[in-house]
Amino acid sequence: YSRRPEGRKQQLDGWSPVMESAVQPEQYPGYGEQVDQSLAMQLVRMFALVALAAGPVSEQRERYVRRFFHGRYPGDVAERFLLTFENLCDHSKDSRELMESLDRRLSYQEKIFCLLVTFEYVFSADPSEIDLAVLRRLSGLLGVESNDTAFIEAHFHGKKPRLRIQSAANLISLRIT
């Protein structure tokens, strides 16, 4: 992940200038910990796992991550998510540790949600077979049933899931807006 503007090389322990202007950490005890444990931060970790396994982050996927977080969160929080994503992509050596933390933190429903958004992230650029294999493997390691993963994948391919998958999946339908 190397398209980072030079001025963005910040430590996650500290606050970026954007964060300092919007939120004063001393006013909100536990703010950083709450953000780090949020479902959105788990998405950051899933995006990073895909990026680490599938290769460099494309411009389309980088744009997706920016739009996703800036479209849903205040600038200071979005920047924290983006800095974490960059840091994980640049410095993460133990994807197994990331996987285990996701598995411990997320309920099955949250895993499905994160998987949906991660599929959306991957499909924001033309997905390769490697990308899809990484998603399937990630899904399996998280304990998501293969029929649920196949159901989600069929949706992103623009197909109706095969009847066998549709009847065996825990999901009834998908509607992503």
Side-chain angles (χ1 to χ4, degrees), residues 94-157:
D94 192 2
S95 56
R96 168 81 78 221
E97 183 181 314
L98 278 174
M99 238 359 270
E100 289 170 357
S101 75
L102 284 167
D103 192 36
R104 281 190 309 271
R105 161 63 179 83
L106 300 173
S107 69
Y108 193 79
Q109 293 82 1
E110 290 170 329
K111 290 174 185 179
I112 293 291
F113 171 77
C114 287
L115 191 60
L116 278 167
V117 178
T118 305
F119 262 92
E120 189 176 69
Y121 162 74
V122 166
F123 275 79
S124 67
D126 193 21
S128 68
E129 280 305 312
I130 292 172
D131 293 327
L132 297 174
V134 167
L135 281 171
R136 290 181 202 118
R137 180 75 175 135
L138 179 62
S139 176
L141 290 171
L142 285 173
V144 174
E145 293 183 22
S146 60
N147 288 321
D148 290 341
T149 303
F151 190 93
I152 293 167
E153 187 174 343
H155 171 80
F156 281 92
H157 282 294

Side-chain angles (χ1 to χ4, degrees), residues 1-5 26 29 33 35 37 39 42 50 55 80 84 95 100 106 110 123 125 131 151 154 157 161 167:
Y1 191 82
S2 61
R3 281 189 289 285
R4 176 184 354 186
E26 63 275 359
E33 186 178 324
V35 171
Q37 292 304 312
L39 186 57
Q42 307 320 305
V50 170
R80 186 172 184 97
T84 301
S95 56
E100 289 170 357
L106 300 173
E110 290 170 329
F123 275 79
D131 293 327
F151 190 93
H157 282 294
S167 61

Side-chain angles (χ1 to χ4, degrees), residues 4 6 20-21 23 27 29 41 48 50 56 61 70 80 82 92 96 103 106 121 128 134 138 151 165 168 171:
R4 176 184 354 186
E6 213 44 46
E20 285 180 14
S21 66
V23 173
Q27 291 177 325
M41 189 61 81
V50 170
R61 290 187 183 151
H70 278 288
R80 186 172 184 97
L82 294 171
S92 220
R96 168 81 78 221
D103 192 36
L106 300 173
Y121 162 74
S128 68
V134 167
L138 179 62
F151 190 93
I165 290 171
L171 304 171

